[in-house]
Amino acid sequence: MPTSSMPGHARPLAHRTSLQAVLLLGSMGVLASLWSDMLFPAMVSIQQDLQASATAVQQTVSLFFVANAFMCLWHGVISDAWGRRKPLLIGLVVLVLTSLLSLLATRIEHLWILRTVQGLVVGLGHVLCRAVIRDLYSGEGAQKMIAHTSLLQTAGPIVLPMLGGWLTWMWGWRALFAFLAAVGMVMLLVYARKLPESLPPERRQAVRLGSLWRNYRLVLGSPWFMRLSVAHACNWAAMYLYVAAGPRLVTHLLGRPPTDVYLVFTPMMVGLIAGFLCLPRVLQRWGTRHTMYLAYLGFAFVSVLNAALSALVPPGLMHLLPIAAYAFAVALSMPLLVGHALHPFPHNAGLAASCQLFLQYSMMAVVAGLLAPLLWDSLWHVALGCAVLTGIGMALLLWQRYATWKAQGAAVTAA
């Protein structure tokens, strides 16, 4: 349900079926995909043009997510103090300028610096999307809006790798940054005109180091928040392992050109979209608990299937099909894990969303910079890494279930 304390001009965004709300909020979360996914098909081109090693080029991805993870701790704090609009507009200006400067890069070190700066601001999209949703919605309404906006955010990456590959093939990797600069400028103009402020001045919190430290301890010290947020981060990182290793899997194991990296992205995004579309009906029929059981049953099945295919079948396109099923399970579990993790913090929604994205992007940085280069020479190794990450998330969720059951039992005994 929409909250009653929002500014009057923000109420239209809180209507659950508002197409404008879904487009404006969902597009915020596309920032990270735009400035990361489009570059995967260009990795080989960048390596050849700048005469760098594959590992050095891969670090442009790792540094991007390290910077993203670090600043995610501050995006929510800044937005809780300044509102939601101003940080977003400033971040878009930085993205446009750094994309234009990337056109002039002549060494891989130049891209390291510029990609790090981009990583410092690009996380604003996801943080502000979740914070605005928490400003305007609660309960089931928040979960459904997370699902709707996530659907939009996952539809884009189906096209982005193919578009990135096409632009690289036609005009080289620098064309990607020209395209990103143009897209950033359009988004800047649209949000400047169309996005209302959802956080009224009376609900803003000044940045005070003492209270900030207490709030971080409150959120990150919450077992409820940490178990649910890390469980989601592990699921997402397991899926992202195939994204980070995608160019290597496609070129070296499947023997296809770098532009065919869409073969990894497409089944993944189809699975996510199908999961987000099915989630409302599944929730209505099965409820939250059984929907989560269904998602983790899917994780377990895909992990076993992945391992069996990788061990018994020579590398081929069929190895990419289970990714769709895994992504479907991620889509079923993500809104529930994210929404329940944020629920105890209505007055620190921005900071809690920041901590949540910090955990997620930290995991993605480890995957991109460490796990993917270690595992990408073998489909078996990638499948094993995916299964281990999934198992960690499953263990955390079982821990949360046990802790909840124990707390309920203690409350009944005390009563």
Side-chain angles (χ1 to χ4, degrees):
M1 296 291 293
T3 61
S4 59
S5 59
M6 73 189 71
H9 60 276
R11 286 195 181 98
L13 280 181
H15 195 279
R16 189 174 63 182
T17 60
S18 171
L19 179 61
Q20 184 185 39
V22 173
L23 290 175
L24 286 174
L25 297 179
S27 296
M28 291 182 193
V30 178
L31 289 179
S33 295
L34 272 169
W35 268 265
S36 62
D37 294 350
M38 282 196 67
L39 267 68
F40 284 111
M43 303 287 273
V44 175
S45 178
I46 294 173
Q47 179 184 348
Q48 294 172 349
D49 186 42
L50 300 184
Q51 298 181 351
S53 67
T55 302
V57 176
Q58 184 73 15
Q59 297 316 307
T60 63
V61 179
S62 181
L63 289 170
F64 176 87
F65 282 114
V66 167
N68 195 352
F70 170 75
M71 275 305 296
C72 276
L73 287 174
W74 300 97
H75 291 321
V77 174
I78 294 171
S79 72
D80 284 344
W82 293 1
R84 313 307 187 196
R85 273 174 51 90
K86 187 184 295 185
L88 179 63
L89 299 181
I90 293 173
L92 286 170
V93 170
V94 173
L95 288 173
V96 170
L97 292 178
T98 53
S99 296
L100 292 174
L101 289 173
S102 296
L103 298 173
L104 307 176
T106 57
R107 300 180 57 177
I108 192 63
E109 290 81 5
H110 298 161
L111 284 184
W112 287 352
I113 295 171
L114 292 169
R115 293 287 288 161
T116 300
V117 175
Q118 289 176 351
L120 291 175
V121 298
V122 77
L124 273 165
H126 265 129
V127 171
L128 293 180
C129 176
R130 294 183 184 181
V132 172
I133 289 174
R134 188 62 185 86
D135 290 339
L136 305 182
Y137 301 87
S138 63
E140 185 178 345
Q143 293 175 3
K144 289 184 176 180
M145 183 52 78
I146 291 174
H148 292 157
T149 55
S150 297
L151 176 62
L152 177 62
Q153 292 163 17
T154 53
I158 295 178
V159 179
L160 292 177
M162 290 185 285
L163 178 59
W166 181 77
L167 289 173
T168 302
W169 178 69
M170 291 290 293
W171 295 293
W173 63 269
R174 297 177 196 274
L176 299 180
F177 288 103
F179 175 82
L180 290 173
V183 171
M185 181 60 67
V186 171
M187 294 181 74
L188 178 62
L189 295 175
V190 169
Y191 281 114
R193 295 187 59 184
K194 298 293 186 180
L195 182 69
E197 178 57 64
S198 64
L199 188 68
E202 62 271 17
R203 288 178 53 197
R204 298 180 188 178
Q205 302 182 28
V207 179
R208 298 185 179 92
L209 293 181
S211 60
L212 184 60
W213 174 245
R214 286 194 299 271
N215 289 335
Y216 274 124
R217 289 183 61 188
L218 174 67
V219 174
L220 294 175
S222 165
W224 171 296
F225 176 85
M226 289 298 295
R227 285 191 287 258
L228 293 176
S229 296
V230 175
H232 163 63
C234 286
N235 297 338
W236 195 266
M239 184 176 64
Y240 183 74
L241 178 59
Y242 279 89
V243 176
R248 185 81 175 187
L249 297 179
V250 167
T251 56
H252 288 73
L253 297 183
L254 302 183
R256 305 181 73 96
T259 53
D260 284 0
V261 72
Y262 71 88
L263 293 171
V264 176
F265 280 82
T266 301
M268 185 181 301
M269 297 308 151
V270 169
L272 285 172
I273 290 172
F276 287 131
L277 288 175
C278 292
L279 178 61
R281 293 183 180 179
V282 174
L283 276 175
Q284 184 176 7
R285 181 172 180 178
W286 296 98
T288 300
R289 181 182 300 178
H290 288 91
T291 299
M292 192 68 71
Y293 290 159
L294 178 63
Y296 273 87
L297 181 63
F299 286 140
F301 173 77
V302 174
S303 296
V304 173
L305 178 62
N306 245 347
L309 282 176
S310 301
L312 302 175
V313 181
L317 294 179
M318 68 180 302
H319 288 80
L320 303 179
L321 294 179
I323 300 176
Y326 192 93
F328 184 88
V330 170
L332 291 183
S333 65
M334 188 194 81
L336 307 182
L337 292 172
V338 169
H340 283 301
L342 292 177
H343 183 72
F345 308 104
H347 302 296
N348 298 102
L351 185 144
S354 289
C355 293
Q356 208 167 55
L357 270 297
F358 167 76
L359 296 171
Q360 180 176 328
Y361 286 128
S362 294
M363 291 288 292
M364 293 171 71
V366 171
V367 167
L370 180 62
L371 290 184
L374 286 176
L375 304 176
W376 64 21
D377 286 331
S378 166
L379 283 169
W380 161 252
H381 291 158
V382 174
L384 185 61
C386 179
V388 170
L389 289 169
T390 304
I392 295 173
M394 190 178 299
L396 288 169
L397 194 61
L398 290 173
W399 187 5
Q400 173 63 24
R401 176 63 184 154
Y402 171 76
T404 303
W405 172 80
K406 188 175 181 180
Q408 291 173 344
V412 170
T413 302

